[in-house]
Amino acid sequence: MLIVLVGLIVSIGLHEVGHLVPAKLFGVKVTQYMIGFGRTLFSRRRGETEYGIKLIPLGGYISMIGMYPPSKTGGAARNATTSVFEAMVQEGSAVKTRRDARQAEGGAADDSGDALEGAPGASVPIDQSPDARVEVVSAGATDFPPLDEGERRRFFGSMAEDAREASAETIGEGEDHRAFYRLPVYKRIIIMLGGPFMNLVLAFVFFGISLVAFGAPVQTTTLSMVSECVLPAGSTKTSCDASDPLAPGAAAGLKPGDTIVSIDGTPVSSWAESTEIIRQSSGDALDVVIERGGAEQSVTLTPLLTKRYVLDTANRVVKNADGSPKTEEVGFVGISSTQEVQQQPITATGPMVWQSISGVGDIIIHLPQRMGDVLNAAFGPGERDPNGPISVVGVGRIAGEVAASDQIPFVSKGASLFAVLGSLNIALFVINLVPLMPLDGGHVVTALWEGIRRFFAKLFGRPDPGPIDAAKLMPLTFVVVIFFMAMSAILIYADIVKPANLFG
């Protein structure tokens, strides 16, 4: 559990380093580097940047000046962070300012307190974690008069402008040339991709440690079980009846502990090689050499044509378009292999990373369906999909179960815990590339669109359209953040009341 906690903090910290280093190299003024959210536990200023640690280590951010350009030529740049929603906190301050002005004009001022303070230290860090995170620094009471109907209608429309006005004062005199938005497009993309890139590098490191230093479970050519009979795919029977056909493996005299040496003259060094031959040889009598008790002997094995589930590379049942399990007719003998942990070559890391990326991508693509399954499990009779989305609570629970289990060898525990960290960093990598604000991918897409606009303007001799005002996307950003918050709450609840069972 401690390994996962430390690994999570390291992953968050290095994600932000991935933003921080190129930002400083390109001359952008970075005012804050924070790990965690909530109350600040420790901070120290080095040069122009404040470095600190906050109470809850589930996120992080850096704060750069001028992440959003001014709305008008010659206007002041606005301060921003790589966290999600500092501008929305600044919006709260701006709304209060409007209220105060209205009350002053009407002679009914209320100085009971500030709803949301828009000071430079106030931020709402919801950055690279799949769980949405919100930090609001408030002071005093919040019993202000309600907004009138007109203000409620204009709230979202004026959100970007209010954020500009509230944060313009944070930009120092003569610092506009160090604003993020003034960088060339490619430099802005490098800064925003720096965080996800660090997560990808960490995924390679953690998966490499898991596979190379500890090893991975590998199916061997030694048999662990020999079925007595052949049951159709999907059968729930736990014993054989007299009417059930005898399994070819049992008929040939195979026993648990036998090791397959060759099949029909073809040497077999892996379980995948043996199953491939068997699946393609239904009805053919195969001469199988096995090793039993230190001596080799030959048996005749005739695979039976039967329906079996189609499995993907992750050994999961493939589904048809209607959601039913996909089956195929293949040769079957009714044997299972043993597993042992074997250290893998460094070249095995790449395929493992790609498999994890594909898995997270599949979850994102089918997120509505996956979240529907989670809701059905949390509030209904459904069961959690072990390959479905989980929260950081679920990750911690899995790590705790692995560490506490007496049935899992130390080597397997180490491999599993580092694999969890690798998977966590892949999740951070993939999710942050989703092209929606306020994720890193949203900033990248905005910069690319700006570059395309300027390219075509120059190509056709038109005036430079200038930088894209990403602050106008604040209403959409608000919706995305609310979605992440709701999804996180559901996943955390589900991981508490009905956690996914990865161990059967």
Side-chain angles (χ1 to χ4, degrees):
M1 183 64 177
L2 180 61
I3 293 177
V4 173
L5 179 60
V6 172
L8 175 62
I9 295 174
V10 169
S11 301
I12 293 170
L14 290 181
H15 175 101
E16 298 308 329
V17 167
H19 293 308
L20 177 73
V21 172
K24 284 185 171 289
L25 288 176
F26 295 149
V28 178
K29 182 177 180 180
V30 181
T31 58
Q32 282 188 317
Y33 169 93
M34 291 289 172
I35 297 176
F37 65 98
R39 185 169 60 88
T40 299
L41 300 178
F42 167 83
S43 69
R44 176 172 296 178
R45 181 170 295 279
R46 291 291 180 86
E48 62 189 15
T49 305
E50 178 189 9
Y51 300 86
I53 298 175
K54 291 180 174 287
L55 181 62
I56 306 175
L58 299 180
Y61 66 94
I62 69 169
S63 179
M64 297 180 288
I65 69 169
M67 199 165 183
Y68 302 127
S71 58
K72 299 178 181 180
T73 303
R78 282 101 68 199
N79 196 37
T81 74
T82 56
S83 63
V84 173
F85 242 152
E86 177 151 339
M88 294 195 69
V89 175
Q90 296 167 343
E91 161 66 11
S93 177
V95 169
K96 176 186 177 294
T97 301
R98 293 202 309 273
R99 283 200 189 112
D100 290 345
R102 185 181 72 242
Q103 292 166 355
E105 291 174 0
D110 182 353
D111 59 354
S112 58
D114 294 344
L116 293 173
E117 182 60 37
S123 61
V124 184
I126 306 179
D127 181 22
Q128 41 45 359
S129 172
D131 295 327
R133 306 183 293 283
V134 176
E135 173 198 351
V136 177
V137 179
S138 60
T142 57
D143 54 343
F144 296 109
L147 292 173
D148 58 39
E149 185 63 28
E151 285 182 319
R152 281 196 293 269
R153 289 196 303 268
R154 293 192 299 271
F155 179 81
F156 285 103
S158 65
M159 186 178 292
E161 184 60 33
D162 292 334
R164 298 184 191 112
E165 295 174 359
S167 62
E169 296 178 0
T170 65
I171 310 301
E173 183 77 22
E175 292 180 341
D176 190 63
H177 68 286
R178 301 186 62 192
F180 174 81
Y181 82 93
R182 289 195 176 277
L183 291 176
V185 168
Y186 79 92
K187 289 186 178 181
R188 277 179 277 161
I189 291 176
I190 289 174
I191 291 174
M192 298 316 299
L193 290 182
F197 175 75
M198 289 298 293
N199 291 127
L200 181 61
V201 171
L202 286 171
F204 272 96
V205 171
F206 287 133
F207 278 129
I209 293 174
S210 175
L211 295 172
V212 179
F214 291 97
V218 176
Q219 289 182 296
T220 70
T221 56
T222 300
L223 307 185
S224 64
M225 185 183 69
V226 179
S227 300
E228 296 180 8
C229 61
V230 178
L231 297 176
S235 175
T236 58
K237 293 174 62 176
T238 58
S239 60
C240 297
D241 297 332
S243 59
D244 294 325
L246 188 65
L254 295 178
K255 298 179 180 180
D258 292 345
T259 299
I260 299 175
V261 177
S262 66
I263 301 178
D264 243 17
T266 302
V268 171
S269 59
S270 70
W271 183 252
E273 292 176 352
S274 65
T275 55
E276 184 65 22
I277 295 174
I278 291 171
R279 290 166 69 89
Q280 296 178 359
S281 304
S282 60
D284 299 335
L286 303 176
D287 180 41
V288 179
V289 177
I290 61 172
E291 182 181 318
R292 178 185 297 169
E296 292 186 356
Q297 63 184 78
S298 180
V299 299
T300 300
L301 186 65
T302 305
L304 178 68
L305 184 66
T306 184
K307 285 186 177 181
R308 298 287 101 184
Y309 287 133
V310 178
L311 304 178
D312 60 17
T313 55
N315 209 35
R316 297 173 296 196
V317 176
V318 177
K319 300 292 183 66
N320 292 310
D322 60 359
S324 61
K326 188 175 183 179
T327 61
E328 61 181 346
E329 290 190 333
V330 294
F332 174 78
V333 297
I335 56 177
S336 300
S337 71
T338 58
Q339 284 191 343
E340 64 181 27
V341 177
Q342 297 178 359
Q343 289 180 317
Q344 302 297 304
I346 191 66
T347 53
T349 305
M352 175 67 78
V353 169
W354 175 248
Q355 179 180 320
S356 184
I357 290 174
S358 300
V360 176
D362 180 73
I363 290 177
I364 292 176
I365 292 172
H366 300 96
L367 191 58
Q369 175 187 339
R370 295 300 186 98
M371 289 305 299
D373 294 340
V374 172
L375 285 169
N376 185 40
F379 301 100
E383 294 295 328
R384 291 292 298 277
D385 180 0
N387 298 304
I390 60 174
S391 70
V392 69
V393 172
V395 172
R397 188 178 187 280
I398 291 171
E401 288 182 355
V402 171
S405 176
D406 295 330
Q407 306 300 318
I408 303 177
F410 172 78
V411 172
S412 296
K413 287 183 180 181
S416 298
L417 292 176
F418 278 101
V420 167
L421 289 174
S423 299
L424 178 63
N425 275 274
I426 288 297
L428 298 179
F429 168 73
V430 175
I431 291 175
N432 269 284
L433 293 182
V434 173
L436 290 174
M437 297 288 283
L439 301 171
D440 295 333
H443 290 287
V444 170
V445 169
T446 301
L448 287 173
W449 179 240
E450 177 183 319
I452 292 172
R453 288 202 318 166
R454 285 180 156 171
F455 171 79
F456 281 102
K458 184 177 180 179
L459 182 66
F460 293 105
R462 297 172 181 170
D464 186 348
I468 289 181
D469 187 6
K472 291 182 178 179
L473 298 176
M474 290 298 289
L476 174 61
T477 303
F478 180 83
V479 172
V480 173
V481 171
I482 294 300
F483 170 78
F484 271 115
M485 291 176 64
M487 182 177 70
S488 298
I490 292 170
L491 290 175
I492 290 173
Y493 177 79
D495 286 334
I496 294 173
V497 301
K498 190 175 287 186
N501 185 0
L502 273 64
F503 304 103

